[in-house]
Amino acid sequence: MTGLGAVRPLATATQARLWAAEQLTPGTGELNVPVALRLHGPLDSDALVRALRALAARHESLRSTFALDTRGRLRWTAHGPEHFRVEVVDLTDRPDPHAAAQRLVEDVAWRPFDLASEVLRTAVLTLAPDDHVLVCAGHHVVFDDWSVAVFFRELEVLYAAALRGLDGARMLPPLAFGYTELSFEEQRLRSRGTLDDQVAYWAGQLAGAEPVAVPADRPRPAVRTAHADEHAFALPGPLVTRLTEVGRACGASPFMTLLAGFHALLRRWTGQTDITVGTLVTGRTTPEREKLITCLVNTLAIRSTAPKGVPFVDLLTGIRQRTLDAFAHQEAPYDQVVAALPEPAAGRRPLVQVTFELQNTTTDVAALRGGRGELPVFRGLATTAHPVPRLTARHDLELALGTGAGDAELSGRVVYPTDLFDAGTITAVVRDFRTLLDEVAADPHRPV
C-alpha cells in the first residue's frame, strides 16, 4: 500500500462523481452519513479513542482529504494516523446532559464537511459515568452503509484489544488492498476501455427514457430543499413467500419480483408504460472490495417498456433480463452514463426520480438506525441505537424493503420530499402497492 502522506490525482470514478454532487449542493450536509450508538456501562474512553485511531491507521480512506489543485484536478491526499481526530466531551456537569448530547450529536452528524480538511468526524460523549454516546459521521465520498458495517465490526475487535493493552492491528486480517489499490484498479478499467464499453451499453439502453412523473400534490420547487418524511409499512410473511414462488417460476429473484411490482405500481400511478427506476448496488464485486471502508455505491437505472395490458409474468421476465444486464455493467458510474445520453436527456431534470432497494445484507446498519438487526457489541457494555434525527430525500420516491419482525416478513419505508407530497398521498401509494402485490400473488398472469 502507498506510504503515508501520499498524494495522487483521484482515480476512482465513483468518488469523482460524488465530489461533483457535493459541488452542486455545497454546505447542506446532504451527503453526510451519520450513525450514533448509546453505550451503557463502564466505558474506557481512552481505549475507545485508541481503537478509533487504530481503525483510521488501518483504512487510509478515513484519513484522506480531497481538494482541487491549481490546474483544477481533483487530488487525494492520504495523511498519517495523527491527522485523524476524536472529540471527547464530558457532559456530566451540564444542567441537562441529554439535551447537550443531542445538540452535539446533530452538529457532528449534519455539519457540512470541508473535504480539504476531513472526511470523517467522531465524538465520544459522556452523559453519566455509565452512559455514553459514540457518534460518527462520514462524508459519502468515503462512507456508505457497507462501510458503516465494516467500521463497527472492526471497532469491536480493536476496542477489545485496546482494553487489554494489545495491538489491535494484529487481531484483524492484514489489509493488503486499500484505497490506493482501488484507485489503480479503476484506472486500469479506464485504460482498457472497459468503462467506455459499459457507458455505451447504458446509453443504448436508456436512450429516449423519460423520468417517472408521479402525480404530486404541489408544483415542483425551483430548488429542492431536501425536507422529507417517511411512511413505514410491512409485507407479511405469507405474501412474501408467495411472491418468492412467483419469481422462482420465472427464474427471478425476490429482488426482481418486488422491483417488477414497483414498476407495475408506477405504471398505474403515472399512466406511463416507459418506467425507469434506480436501484443502488454496493460495488463490492470482489472479496478485496468487501473489506474496504470507502464509498463504492452506484446507481443502476432499470427500465421497462412493456405495452399496456401485458401479464405481470411478462413484465417480470423483462425486468429480470434488464436487471441481469444491469449488474453485468455496474462499473459504469451513473453520472457518467447520464452525461453520455443524447439530448434532451442531458438538459432536463434527472432521469432517476424514484428508487427501489431490497436491503438483506446489512441488517446491523438498520439496527444502528433504529430498525431490526444486531447492534455492535463492545466488551463490558450494553448498546442501543441512538437516533440521529433528520431525513433527506434526494428523489421523488425512495422505497426500501428489509428484514421484518417475523419469519419471511419484510419491513418497508417510503421516504419522500414534503415539498411535493402530502402524507395521505404516500399512504395511498403504499396501500396500492400492497393491493397490487396481493393480486400478483393470487394470479401472476393478470394484466398489469
Side-chain angles (χ1 to χ4, degrees):
M1 296 174 64
T2 299
L4 303 180
V7 182
R8 293 184 180 276
L10 185 66
T12 57
T14 302
Q15 275 72 22
R17 182 187 73 245
L18 291 169
W19 169 269
E22 175 66 5
Q23 308 319 301
L24 295 176
T25 54
T28 64
E30 185 179 345
L31 294 180
N32 292 15
V33 182
V35 287
L37 191 64
R38 199 72 169 262
L39 306 172
H40 306 276
L43 172 70
D44 187 330
S45 296
D46 290 339
L48 183 56
V49 169
R50 291 197 300 274
L52 286 165
R53 287 177 175 160
L55 192 59
R58 176 174 168 83
H59 293 274
E60 57 192 344
S61 59
L62 301 182
R63 43 186 167 80
S64 296
T65 57
F66 298 85
L68 296 177
D69 64 15
T70 56
R71 297 172 59 184
R73 297 175 302 179
L74 187 57
R75 292 279 183 171
W76 161 55
T77 304
H79 300 272
E82 69 280 358
H83 180 82
F84 182 75
R85 294 172 297 172
V86 181
E87 188 176 3
V88 179
V89 184
D90 187 343
L91 302 173
T92 55
D93 61 347
R94 302 288 180 91
D96 188 344
H98 292 83
Q102 192 56 39
R103 287 192 296 270
L104 285 172
V105 166
E106 293 184 23
D107 177 65
V108 171
W110 298 115
R111 186 183 348 127
F113 278 93
D114 175 5
L115 295 180
S117 61
E118 63 175 354
V119 294
L120 174 73
R121 64 176 70 103
T122 59
V124 181
L125 314 177
T126 298
L127 290 72
D130 61 350
D131 190 4
H132 316 266
V133 175
L134 169 63
V135 56
C136 307
H139 189 279
H140 206 29
V141 74
V142 296
F143 227 41
D144 57 16
D145 280 358
W146 189 289
S147 298
V148 171
V150 174
F151 183 95
F152 279 100
R153 280 199 301 269
E154 295 191 353
L155 186 61
E156 292 175 19
V157 175
L158 294 171
Y159 178 68
L163 285 176
R164 300 168 60 189
L166 301 176
D167 181 2
R170 296 179 178 270
M171 305 297 174
L172 293 169
L175 195 63
F177 184 93
Y179 194 91
T180 300
E181 288 71 28
L182 175 67
S183 297
F184 285 136
E185 182 180 87
E186 294 200 355
Q187 276 185 329
R188 287 193 293 271
L189 283 176
R190 272 206 207 106
S191 64
R192 294 171 184 166
T194 303
L195 290 183
D196 292 338
D197 292 343
Q198 293 201 13
V199 169
Y201 161 82
W202 283 107
Q205 288 293 308
L206 299 176
E210 294 288 338
V212 171
V214 179
D217 297 304
R218 283 171 290 282
R220 185 178 302 275
V223 178
R224 184 190 292 273
T225 66
H227 296 158
D229 204 346
E230 67 176 352
H231 178 96
F233 65 98
L235 299 179
L239 172 60
V240 176
T241 299
R242 174 56 187 147
L243 291 171
T244 301
E245 294 170 352
V246 168
R248 188 178 297 121
C250 297
S253 67
F255 168 82
M256 297 170 184
T257 307
L258 291 163
L259 175 60
F262 191 40
H263 271 252
L265 173 76
L266 293 170
R267 290 164 67 97
R268 288 189 178 186
W269 268 80
T270 66
Q272 296 174 234
T273 56
D274 189 338
I275 299 292
T276 299
V277 174
T279 191
L280 298 180
V281 289
T282 65
R284 313 290 168 154
T285 53
T286 64
E288 292 79 14
R289 289 186 174 205
E290 291 179 358
K291 300 173 186 176
L292 292 182
I293 294 180
T294 192
C295 181
L296 294 173
V297 169
N298 194 19
T299 299
L300 304 183
I302 311 297
R303 183 183 184 186
S304 66
T305 55
K308 290 184 178 180
V310 66
F312 177 80
V313 290
D314 290 354
L315 177 66
L316 173 56
T317 299
I319 286 177
R320 172 188 177 277
Q321 189 58 53
R322 290 288 182 102
T323 302
L324 291 173
D325 292 343
F327 276 78
H329 296 84
Q330 65 174 287
E331 299 284 355
Y334 170 70
D335 289 351
Q336 191 174 340
V337 167
V338 172
L341 293 177
E343 295 291 347
R348 65 187 177 201
R349 64 193 181 96
L351 173 60
V352 169
Q353 294 291 329
V354 294
T355 62
F356 173 85
E357 289 184 71
L358 178 59
Q359 302 164 337
N360 55 8
T361 58
T362 55
T363 54
D364 43 358
V365 174
L368 283 164
R369 292 174 180 154
R372 185 171 180 263
E374 295 185 4
L375 286 165
V377 178
F378 293 95
R379 184 177 177 182
L381 303 171
T383 55
T384 56
H386 186 85
V388 184
R390 183 174 165 185
L391 276 174
T392 59
R394 301 183 66 190
H395 305 91
D396 289 358
L397 291 178
E398 300 174 2
L399 171 61
L401 297 169
T403 306
D407 292 342
E409 179 181 298
L410 291 177
S411 64
R413 71 171 191 161
V414 176
V415 176
Y416 61 95
T418 52
D419 288 344
L420 293 182
F421 299 106
D422 295 327
T425 299
I426 304 305
T427 300
V429 168
V430 171
R431 179 196 64 218
D432 286 359
F433 185 52
R434 169 64 192 275
T435 300
L436 186 147
L437 293 179
D438 285 334
E439 293 174 356
V440 167
D443 181 7
H445 296 278
R446 290 187 62 179
V448 297

